[in-house]
Amino acid sequence: MPPPAAVPPIGLSAGSRHLPDADHLLHRLAAALALPGGTLGCTHPVRAPGPILALSLSLPGPAETGAAYDRLAGGLAAELGLATAWQDARTGPPEHHEGAAAGAAAAALRSGRAVLFPGWSQTTGTLTVGELLDRTAITRTVALGGLVPEPTALLDTRAHLRPEWEEDDLLLRLMPARGGTYVPFDIPDTHPCCGGRH
């Protein structure tokens, strides 16, 4: 099992049941909070008590985490319909407290699917696997069947990279595409909200 996160993460929940909705909430939080570049924003399938997708924000340090939580507790979370959990503090709709706490607990153990991660906003279009690993927090890629793509292999990002924690790696799963290129295994929503890249 990977070591726990050094700074307690913030857990959030709106009771989302679909990945595009959860992803959209994380992007709205990133924009509203002006999160520092080292932030990880993840989705976590949890039971709280039913199956939902909890969220988490893992910021680089305690000062950044405290400032973000103060903004959330000060009204931003309520605007987005989110419950929050950070250490012993809880805010927002009581029916979502359990989900928010579950998201924080999952993030503390470095599990989940990353929507926000260092370098995510600079990875659009096509680039090599080596460039991806150099520019982002993603540490490993693997294609269907366990194949490890060469660093020179081309990746069409589809502006939609969703690596997952595996052991202590942020792993991006890929699948082969036309012309010997690769695309992310996690398929983007075909009806993105707000007309933006998610």
Side-chain angles (χ1 to χ4, degrees), residues 9 11 13 40 59 75 78 103 110 132 145 158 176:
S13 177
L40 280 168
L59 288 90
R110 293 193 181 179
L132 173 79
R158 296 179 171 177

Side-chain angles (χ1 to χ4, degrees), residues 24-35 71 76 116 120 198:
H24 178 59
L25 281 170
L26 283 169
H27 280 282
R28 289 186 68 184
L29 287 167
L33 292 170
L35 295 169
R71 285 283 315 281
L76 178 59
L116 312 174
W120 72 268
H198 287 328

Side-chain angles (χ1 to χ4, degrees), residues 61-127:
E64 295 91 338
T65 306
Y69 188 78
D70 288 345
R71 285 283 315 281
L72 288 163
L76 178 59
E79 290 176 22
L80 299 177
L82 287 163
T84 66
W86 185 46
Q87 302 184 98
D88 294 329
R90 303 287 185 271
T91 67
E95 65 270 24
H96 297 320
H97 284 185
E98 186 178 350
L109 296 176
R110 293 193 181 179
S111 70
R113 166 184 169 274
V115 176
L116 312 174
F117 54 91
W120 72 268
S121 61
Q122 283 78 49
T123 51
T124 59
T126 300
L127 68 166

